Amino acid sequence: MITIRNLTKKFGEKLAVDHLNLEVTRGEFFGFLGPNGAGKTTTIRMLVGLSHPTQGEIEIAGIDLKKEPVRAKLKIGHVPDSPYLYDKLSAREFLNFIGGLYRMERRQIEREADFLLDYFEMTSWCDQRAEGYSHGMRQKTVVTAALLHNPEVIIIDEPLTGLDPHSGRLLKNILKERTKSGTTVFVSTHILGIAEELSDRIGILNQGRLIACGTVRELMGMAVAQGENLEGLFLRLTRPQHPESVLST
Amino acid sequence: MKALALILRYKIRNSRRVFFVPRLENLLRVVVNLSVGLLLFAGAYWFFHYIFNYLGGLHEIGSLLMDKVVSLAMLTFFMMLILSNLVISLSTLFKSKQTEFLLSLPTEHLNTFIARFLDNSVYSTWAFLFLALPLLASYGEVHQFRWWQYLSLFSLGLIPFVLIPATLGVGFSLLLFYLRRFTKPINIILALVALVALAMWLYLQANNPRSLSLSSLEDFRILNSYLSSLKAVSFSYLPHVWFSEGLKALTLKDFRSVSVHLLALATTTIFLFRMLFLLSEKVYFKGWLASEEKGTAKKAKERVWRRRLGFLFRFDPLFWLPPDTRALVVKDLKLFVREPSQWAQFTILLILLVLYLVNLGQLPLTLGGQQLWETVITFANFAFCGFILATLAVRFVFPSISMEGANIWSIGSSPLSLRRLFWGKFGISFVIFLILAEILAYCSNRMLYLSGLMMVLTGLGIFLMSLGLTSLATGCGAIFANFSERNPGKIASSSGGMLTAVLSLFYVALMVFIVALPVHRYTLHLSSGLDFSPLQVFQALIMMLALNLVAIFLPLKLGLSSLEKRSDF
């Protein structure tokens, strides 16, 4: 569903993403881990067409993102790390707007919006303007907008930002639920617990390079072999002066 | 098109709610804004009407002069509109969260471009309309225009006239960001600024101010021939010429000429729109990507030089300031230098000032014994300096507190009190402002060959004006602080900024009036023997003192107390 081939991004002389190769299949929950500045957000910006790769290709649901960006974007639901909302529009109006741009029918927008707003317990707020929303409510509105058109691929940068534990649980549940119906979820985070709990596979990015990739079980196996947990493995692999220890599987 | 219509519909809905909110405080704000706007409009209308009426009374050359005034005003507007469209587009088409959001949606980039281009045109143009509309309305009134003449003027003349510089300014900014992929933005902006300066210098040289001798002003024949010589250099391929010629033809009801000039405006607008959209399809998204992808790695060469010259950077010229104030000053200076929309506009204003000084130097101001003219020109220059200072204060000092933006919490929660922040902002602005103002005053006075006494007096006046205008802008900036807006241009053109601009201009006008009146009377006393009492100087001093006490202390007191009462951060 997401195919990344030889993806490279350079900012001047700095290599932000270094020849990344990755295949995320239909219905898979992929956790993208890495320390701050590892290149996660840069990769996500390239995946959603907000940044062009210096080299390499991206395919979303078999569509070349560079050649057909609009068609590819129709397949994606995206939640950025610092989302934008029109302050003077209510959550419902914002959803109507987003639904229209994703070419949804009016009735379909209403049905999906009602379901999602109710699910995220936003119904009593959804007709108030976003200027009065808390950080968590803004995040829930953006997540709702990303899920509205039932995208084939959901790409989320730091999903739990601003969410309380209850809302966080709701989000985790719906994302997991969506993968069961064939949606691919690509989540970038530096919170190990989320990746460990939800991911079918985890990729660890450090200094722009994918230094480890495998199922949770596989990575845990590697960690246990060294007498450590997933956190220990992550810290060891992403240590600044760590030797070449690529564990790609 | 469907997607564009949808984007525009929701954007309009969002914007409408910014202005029309059915709450008492917002209604009050709308009423205050409308009143200020109407006052400004009425004042400008009265001013232009007075000038046009006066010129209309000069039978031989009145209408010629009137047309020349309109033509020069439209040229100035045209240049300013290109610059404001260019500068504002840096933060609407490129450095904007909203643009990033729209670009992430499944719609063509052209739709995002058009939506943001329209935003940009509105942000850049509305202030211009506050001057252009009263100018044209008073011109029409003096020429007894009928409704259809006004309708043709505004719909077929003014709209294309506004859109042409909008397309040019945005076109420049598209190229600027596209070229950014190959060179640093500062190189491109400096090249652009140099180009504008060169063009303006050539234009002013072509107009040749030296051919206008002030001592011959009363000789209509010479003036007439001077105006004819200006006509020769009024390039007929510039939109301001089409507009003013069309306006003139509309006055004479010469429909052939009206159609030719208005058609020239309309077809040029359509052509430029087409070119801009073609250009945007080719370069907009690439330019936007370039604006997002700043090189983070410093070149090795630069690092080596920095290390070698490190001792130069170790000297701290601000060592005498308390550490927290020093930190604030350093942070503000760094942010200013690193924000292209700030320093680009500042550089452009400085270049215009240098051009003004250069041309002042070229005026034949020996004025053999003509005391009256000397006084008039001296105070015209004093007023001009005040006008420039007021513009700078509103544009750069007023937004300084709001510019703390979302990061105000870091100051609010730090040991630096808001009081200290306020005084820090005021102090930095005042020192920079005063240096700039005194340089401007000294240079322009030197160009005018003023006597030592007049130099000291205007220098003192400029000192007071710097203090008054900085206090007004800092105080009002704190009262109307908007921590959610990051664009300094938009903060300056908000309702609070508008009110500050009106108050500043009013303050400058009063200062000039209070200082000029006794000097004028003294000059008349010397030349025509009219009565003059030293008491008039004393009265002027008292009035000046009172005005400055109000202008300095009141805004500072209200601003500080308003800032300390705020709880929205």
Side-chain angles (χ1 to χ4, degrees):
Chain A
M1 192 54 67
I2 302 175
T3 307
I4 298 172
R5 276 191 291 267
N6 208 23
L7 192 70
T8 303
K9 183 73 197 178
K10 272 183 165 184
F11 293 117
E13 289 174 11
K14 182 166 170 51
L15 200 56
V17 178
D18 187 2
H19 298 90
L20 178 66
N21 285 289
L22 191 64
E23 179 86 38
V24 185
T25 55
R26 188 169 184 271
E28 188 177 9
F29 196 116
F30 189 84
F32 200 43
L33 287 177
N36 296 334
K40 301 189 298 294
T41 298
T42 305
T43 307
I44 284 200
R45 287 177 70 82
M46 288 192 279
L47 284 179
V48 298
L50 283 176
S51 179
H52 274 183
T54 311
Q55 193 187 324
E57 290 156 20
I58 297 167
E59 274 181 22
I60 304 287
I63 302 164
D64 188 321
L65 185 67
K66 195 171 182 188
K67 287 184 189 149
E68 294 181 274
V70 175
R71 257 190 80 208
K73 283 179 190 176
L74 281 168
K75 309 280 181 190
I76 302 172
H78 170 223
V79 181
D81 56 344
S82 50
Y84 177 85
L85 279 181
Y86 288 104
D87 274 348
K88 302 287 174 188
L89 295 184
S90 67
R92 189 178 287 283
E93 288 171 324
F94 185 69
L95 295 179
N96 286 337
F97 169 55
I98 294 292
L101 287 176
Y102 279 89
R103 303 169 193 182
M104 293 169 75
E105 294 297 327
R106 185 98 190 151
R107 240 182 237 172
Q108 192 193 357
I109 297 173
E110 275 172 23
R111 196 177 56 238
E112 292 293 334
D114 281 344
F115 166 74
L116 289 165
L117 289 167
D118 184 45
Y119 179 83
F120 282 111
E121 297 163 357
M122 282 283 291
T123 311
S124 56
W125 289 90
C126 69
D127 292 315
Q128 308 223 12
R129 288 175 197 172
E131 61 193 346
Y133 289 2
S134 68
H135 193 45
M137 284 156 70
R138 295 176 85 89
Q139 180 75 356
K140 284 199 268 187
T141 307
V142 176
V143 168
T144 306
L147 298 176
L148 188 74
H149 62 291
N150 278 312
E152 290 178 41
V153 175
I154 298 171
I155 296 172
I156 307 187
D157 201 353
E158 297 300 346
L160 298 188
T161 311
L163 295 184
D164 60 58
H166 176 64
S167 305
R169 172 52 53 201
L170 289 175
L171 175 61
K172 288 178 200 169
N173 287 348
I174 199 169
L175 290 178
K176 203 66 194 166
E177 201 60 42
R178 289 282 168 110
T179 57
K180 284 178 191 157
S181 56
T183 305
T184 301
V185 178
F186 187 100
V187 169
S188 155
T189 181
H190 53 249
I191 303 172
L192 295 175
I194 301 172
E196 196 176 343
E197 181 189 342
L198 300 171
S199 305
D200 298 312
R201 254 186 336 141
I202 291 174
I204 300 179
L205 197 71
N206 190 31
Q207 294 174 359
R209 296 170 65 192
L210 192 66
I211 54 167
C213 188
T215 62
V216 176
R217 187 185 287 261
E218 284 168 341
L219 292 182
M220 284 300 285
M222 284 174 207
V224 171
Q226 298 285 325
E228 54 194 11
N229 57 12
L230 191 61
E231 186 186 11
L233 178 75
F234 177 82
L235 291 174
R236 182 162 56 81
L237 290 178
T238 57
R239 230 175 22 222
Q241 279 88 37
H242 192 266
E244 294 287 307
S245 58
V246 181
L247 303 173
S248 302
T249 56
Chain B
M1 279 307 280
K2 208 174 160 189
L4 178 64
L6 189 72
I7 294 172
L8 293 179
R9 196 163 73 232
Y10 279 91
K11 279 177 69 62
I12 290 168
R13 187 179 292 185
N14 188 61
S15 310
R16 213 173 49 212
R17 287 179 185 166
V18 174
F19 294 105
F20 306 107
V21 188
R23 271 191 300 223
L24 185 63
E25 62 189 88
N26 290 301
L27 284 175
L28 274 175
R29 202 188 62 188
V30 170
V31 169
V32 169
N33 286 352
L34 274 178
S35 314
V36 169
L38 280 174
L39 264 176
L40 193 68
F41 190 93
Y45 179 83
W46 175 84
F47 175 74
F48 290 124
H49 198 265
Y50 178 81
I51 289 182
F52 287 143
N53 253 341
Y54 170 75
L55 292 177
L58 305 174
H59 291 295
E60 274 187 62
I61 57 154
S63 61
L64 201 60
L65 275 174
M66 230 185 285
D67 293 332
K68 190 46 76 183
V69 167
V70 171
S71 175
L72 281 175
M74 295 319 275
L75 173 66
T76 313
F77 290 151
F78 186 73
M79 301 298 283
M80 294 313 283
L81 280 174
I82 292 179
L83 289 177
S84 68
N85 271 286
L86 169 63
V87 171
I88 292 179
S89 69
L90 304 179
S91 49
T92 48
L93 281 156
F94 295 98
K95 300 279 180 188
S96 152
K97 268 281 169 209
Q98 187 183 163
T99 304
E100 181 180 324
F101 162 69
L102 290 173
L103 285 171
S104 75
L105 296 171
T107 169
E108 301 294 340
H109 299 143
L110 184 63
N111 291 332
T112 303
F113 174 76
I114 295 174
R116 298 305 276 154
F117 169 76
L118 292 174
D119 282 342
N120 195 67
S121 305
V122 173
Y123 298 146
S124 319
T125 308
W126 72 271
F128 146 82
L129 291 177
F130 266 99
L131 278 176
L133 288 179
L135 174 95
L136 297 173
S138 52
Y139 181 92
E141 175 63 26
V142 169
H143 287 94
Q144 295 169 331
F145 269 21
R146 299 187 63 186
W147 67 268
W148 60 266
Q149 283 168 302
Y150 280 115
L151 188 70
S152 332
L153 173 66
F154 292 127
S155 57
L156 301 172
L158 201 59
I159 293 175
F161 182 79
V162 163
L163 289 175
I164 290 172
T167 53
L168 291 175
V170 169
F172 280 135
S173 96
L174 286 183
L175 288 175
L176 182 80
F177 277 95
Y178 181 69
L179 293 174
R180 195 186 167 170
R181 303 193 309 167
F182 311 109
T183 180
K184 285 181 182 174
I186 188 163
N187 296 336
I188 306 164
I189 287 186
L190 286 178
L192 198 69
V193 164
L195 211 67
V196 171
L198 183 71
M200 289 200 70
W201 185 74
L202 285 174
Y203 182 82
L204 291 167
Q205 286 299 306
N207 275 285
N208 194 11
R210 269 173 287 206
S211 66
L212 176 63
S213 167
L214 285 172
S215 55
S216 340
L217 256 180
E218 284 160 43
D219 189 336
F220 285 168
R221 277 169 306 171
I222 292 173
L223 186 61
N224 213 350
S225 88
Y226 171 70
L227 287 170
S228 306
S229 76
L230 280 186
K231 241 174 146 183
V233 290
S234 294
F235 309 113
S236 50
Y237 296 111
L238 283 175
H240 79 281
V241 178
W242 301 333
F243 185 88
S244 19
E245 287 298 316
L247 184 65
K248 198 162 78 182
L250 208 57
T251 313
L252 301 170
K253 294 182 185 153
D254 174 359
F255 294 111
R256 195 180 158 277
S257 179
V258 171
S259 330
V260 167
H261 290 105
L262 295 189
L263 263 175
L265 279 172
T267 48
T268 306
T269 311
I270 294 166
F271 171 74
L272 286 176
F273 257 96
R274 186 77 199 114
M275 295 306 289
L276 183 72
F277 291 158
L278 279 177
L279 184 70
S280 82
E281 277 177 323
K282 296 267 180 233
V283 305
Y284 174 53
F285 189 58
K286 286 178 187 162
W288 183 83
L289 288 173
S291 75
E292 293 291 300
E293 296 169 2
K294 284 178 281 183
T296 49
K298 281 206 167 29
K299 287 181 183 158
K301 240 189 230 171
E302 280 179 16
R303 275 202 295 265
V304 170
W305 276 110
R306 205 162 254 279
R307 209 166 35 235
R308 279 183 193 163
L309 299 173
F311 66 95
L312 284 178
F313 297 101
R314 257 170 254 139
F315 173 69
D316 182 1
L318 302 171
F319 67 93
W320 47 277
L321 284 173
D324 50 1
T325 312
R326 190 167 63 223
L328 192 69
V329 174
V330 170
K331 189 252 325 165
D332 276 357
L333 289 177
K334 279 189 176 170
L335 287 183
F336 180 81
V337 171
R338 290 174 191 178
E339 180 55 65
S341 63
Q342 286 277 71
W343 54 258
Q345 207 165 7
F346 190 70
T347 314
I348 288 165
L349 272 169
L350 280 187
I351 284 182
L352 289 176
L353 280 182
V354 171
L355 279 172
Y356 167 72
L357 290 175
V358 168
N359 281 281
L360 212 57
Q362 289 184 342
L363 278 174
L365 288 168
T366 43
L367 298 165
Q370 293 197 33
Q371 289 280 333
L372 191 66
W373 275 112
E374 194 170 350
T375 316
V376 167
I377 290 191
T378 304
F379 281 98
N381 178 53
F382 185 57
F384 179 78
C385 290
F387 171 73
I388 292 292
L389 295 180
T391 311
L392 286 172
V394 174
R395 176 58 187 80
F396 295 101
V397 182
F398 177 80
S400 64
I401 289 178
S402 296
M403 285 296 284
E404 290 301 325
N407 293 329
I408 190 77
W409 64 266
S410 64
I411 289 166
S413 60
S414 78
L416 180 78
S417 66
L418 287 173
R419 175 174 285 266
R420 194 71 173 263
L421 169 79
F422 181 84
W423 288 117
K425 293 274 178 191
F426 171 73
I428 301 163
S429 309
F430 174 62
V431 171
I432 296 174
F433 212 68
L434 181 66
I435 294 170
L436 201 72
E438 290 295 352
I439 290 174
L440 175 66
Y442 177 78
C443 293
S444 54
N445 287 344
R446 286 284 299 203
M447 300 289 184
L448 292 169
Y449 305 104
L450 290 193
S451 61
L453 182 68
M454 285 299 263
M455 292 262 272
V456 172
L457 279 178
T458 42
L460 211 65
I462 289 289
F463 173 83
L464 271 178
M465 254 207 254
S466 305
L467 197 57
L469 289 170
T470 321
S471 309
L472 255 171
T474 315
C476 291
I479 296 169
F480 300 104
N482 176 3
F483 296 119
S484 55
E485 180 58 66
R486 298 189 75 87
N487 183 342
K490 281 194 204 164
I491 297 168
S493 56
S494 64
S495 51
M498 283 288 292
L499 184 65
T500 313
V502 172
L503 288 174
S504 303
L505 290 175
F506 189 59
Y507 164 77
V508 170
L510 274 179
M511 273 289 281
V512 175
F513 179 75
I514 291 171
V515 180
L517 201 63
V519 177
H520 177 62
R521 282 185 180 153
Y522 181 65
T523 313
L524 287 179
H525 167 71
L526 288 181
S527 58
S528 324
L530 284 176
D531 279 350
F532 179 77
S533 150
L535 194 67
Q536 289 172 351
V537 178
F538 184 69
Q539 280 172 342
L541 277 174
I542 297 287
M543 279 162 72
M544 196 162 71
L545 201 65
L547 172 68
N548 280 287
L549 277 176
V550 174
I552 294 166
F553 291 106
L554 197 63
L556 287 178
K557 190 173 161 34
L558 293 177
L560 184 57
S561 108
S562 164
L563 190 66
E564 286 183 321
K565 278 183 198 153
R566 281 190 83 128
S567 55
D568 57 345
F569 45 81

